[in-house]
Amino acid sequence: MKLALKELTYYKFKYLLVTLILFLLAFLVLFISALAQGLAKENVSGVEQWNKSEYVIASDADNNLSQANITEQTNQDVNNVAKGDTIKTAMQKVETDSGKADLMFTQLTKDIQPKPSEGHLPKSNHEVLLNEKLKAEGFNVGDDIKLADEDQTFKISGFADNIMFSHTSMAYVNEDGMKDLKGNHISVIAYDNLNDNQKDEINKLDDVKVISQDDMLNAIPSYNAEQQPLNLMIVFLFVISAIVITAFFYVMTIQKTSQFGILKAIGTKNKALIASLMLQILMITLIGVALAIAIIFILGGVMPVSMPFYLDTNLMLLMVAVFIVVSLIGAVLSLIKVMKIEPLEAIGGE
């Protein structure tokens, strides 16, 4: 460890540049990944918060929640087979300072109740819980929102984070509030414990079928269209970063061949040289990645709520692991060659 630290302090500028490059690569990967995850959340976060495994949906809706419409009679028939959460929705436009905004009004049920980040859930038919992104439009708890082209207003009881569907903010109202909305209809019936017999019975009913949550999310037109190219971009960023990092540490290690030769000539064991090199690489990599994560967290805190930006802890851990592994691979590839060189040859002797 002493040898590793001495070299780091002696060649400060060189290792500072390498750390900066690692920081920029890690920051780019994290930033693009956060944007991709943010766009994904704008498509599916509202449904994910329902935390249900299966949904009964209209057979002719192509698994798309926004096109689904179940009749009251069919809803009763389905609930006679298995009691579920009947989810009613109504698409509406509300007036904002910048124009009009689409809202997907959704009815609260016994099990489907988003956790407010501010305020409380609607208690009367004139209250509504909004998505936090609408704060960017100047809305606050206690304000009134007016439906466009309708003489109807709701008082904002609170806000909740990540309640969106297909880039449309969701607005939660209670059962009485939903009855007051024009165009309200049953979209889906949600379950989390249907057995095979119940699924078969429901599938035998006219005009409905049972689908999984993944089926419904994948049917959102904008979801796959956005995520596939963005995920491909992230994969390429990981690959490019891996190649650059491996090449950097490979070249750096090869350049120290003469140093290794001198150290070996004075009796330094291969084990000590390997440990010193690995420690250097781990320190440089961890510092660069840690700085990138810190800056990303700071950006996440100051980003406007309207920006699709979401930090995924699992993805950050994956990135840290990948950067460490490829850095060590770059060192190991060079060490295989360096460790085979005789000391006299390494320092340029005959």
Side-chain angles (χ1 to χ4, degrees):
M1 182 173 180
K2 184 178 179 181
L3 180 63
L5 292 175
K6 277 189 175 181
E7 186 173 359
L8 287 175
T9 54
Y10 187 79
Y11 295 105
K12 292 186 290 289
F13 186 71
K14 179 176 74 172
Y15 287 111
L16 183 62
L17 287 178
V18 175
T19 304
L20 179 62
I21 291 170
L22 283 168
F23 160 74
L24 292 174
L25 288 172
F27 177 81
L28 181 61
V29 172
L30 284 174
F31 189 78
I32 298 298
S33 300
L35 289 177
Q37 292 294 318
L39 287 170
K41 287 293 180 184
E42 287 195 349
N43 273 304
V44 303
S45 59
V47 174
E48 285 180 338
Q49 286 199 24
W50 293 347
N51 197 27
K52 300 292 182 178
S53 56
E54 291 102 15
Y55 294 87
V56 175
I57 195 168
S59 302
D60 59 356
D62 294 328
N63 297 348
N64 193 337
L65 174 64
S66 59
Q67 299 176 8
N69 191 348
I70 298 174
T71 66
E72 289 288 350
Q73 182 59 53
T74 303
N75 177 51
Q76 292 179 16
D77 294 339
V78 172
N79 276 278
N80 287 336
V81 176
K83 185 65 176 176
D85 280 283
T86 298
I87 300 174
K88 289 186 177 182
T89 63
M91 293 299 300
Q92 298 285 341
K93 289 183 180 293
V94 296
E95 295 179 354
T96 68
D97 293 339
S98 58
K100 296 180 181 179
D102 289 320
L103 285 185
M104 180 177 168
F105 279 80
T106 308
Q107 180 180 319
L108 294 167
T109 70
K110 180 181 177 181
D111 292 335
I112 296 175
Q113 298 187 3
K115 184 179 180 180
S117 58
E118 182 181 351
H120 57 82
L121 291 172
K123 297 177 181 177
S124 72
N125 61 325
H126 297 299
E127 290 187 326
V128 63
L129 179 80
L130 296 181
N131 181 36
E132 271 202 345
K133 285 186 178 292
L134 289 171
K135 287 183 178 180
E137 299 290 345
F139 291 123
N140 294 294
V141 173
D143 290 348
D144 290 332
I145 61 169
K146 183 180 182 300
L147 300 188
D149 306 321
E150 298 286 343
D151 188 19
Q152 189 173 0
T153 61
F154 287 88
K155 177 167 286 188
I156 301 172
S157 67
F159 292 94
D161 195 20
N162 291 323
I163 49 171
M164 297 190 74
F165 177 81
S166 190
H167 291 293
T168 301
S169 290
M170 299 172 74
Y172 280 89
V173 292
N174 61 18
E175 184 177 357
D176 291 333
M178 180 59 68
K179 288 178 181 178
D180 294 337
L181 286 167
K182 289 184 178 180
N184 74 81
H185 61 278
I186 299 171
S187 293
V188 290
I189 308 167
Y191 295 90
D192 55 9
N193 57 355
L194 281 178
N195 58 45
D196 291 338
N197 290 332
Q198 290 170 328
K199 291 180 185 179
D200 291 339
E201 286 188 54
I202 293 173
N203 285 325
K204 290 176 182 178
L205 296 173
D206 293 334
D207 303 325
V208 290
K209 62 181 179 180
V210 180
I211 63 173
S212 67
Q213 178 172 281
D214 288 340
D215 289 335
M216 189 163 67
L217 297 183
N218 289 326
I220 301 173
S222 57
Y223 182 56
N224 284 326
E226 290 174 356
Q227 289 303 300
Q228 288 177 358
L230 286 171
N231 288 335
L232 185 62
M233 185 187 302
I234 294 169
V235 170
F236 273 112
L237 282 174
F238 269 113
V239 172
I240 292 169
S241 299
I243 293 172
V244 171
I245 294 170
T246 302
F248 256 108
F249 285 113
Y250 179 83
V251 172
M252 284 179 61
T253 307
I254 290 295
Q255 287 178 340
K256 295 192 291 185
T257 299
S258 60
Q259 296 178 32
F260 286 129
I262 294 172
L263 290 170
K264 291 178 73 173
I266 61 176
T268 305
K269 301 294 184 182
N270 284 343
K271 183 178 179 181
L273 294 177
I274 293 172
S276 174
L277 183 63
M278 292 302 181
L279 180 60
Q280 286 179 358
I281 290 173
L282 281 174
M283 290 177 65
I284 294 170
T285 304
L286 289 175
I287 291 172
V289 172
L291 285 173
I293 292 175
I295 297 298
I296 284 292
F297 268 111
I298 293 172
L299 281 178
V302 300
M303 284 279 189
V305 293
S306 57
M307 175 71 74
F309 196 82
Y310 180 79
L311 298 174
D312 189 328
T313 304
N314 291 330
L315 189 62
M316 284 192 290
L317 293 175
L318 174 63
M319 188 213 66
V320 173
V322 169
F323 271 56
I324 291 175
V325 169
V326 297
S327 299
L328 294 178
I329 288 175
V332 170
L333 290 175
S334 57
L335 279 173
I336 294 173
K337 180 178 179 180
V338 172
M339 293 300 103
K340 291 181 179 179
I341 299 177
E342 293 297 324
L344 190 60
E345 180 184 352
I347 61 178
E350 295 294 336

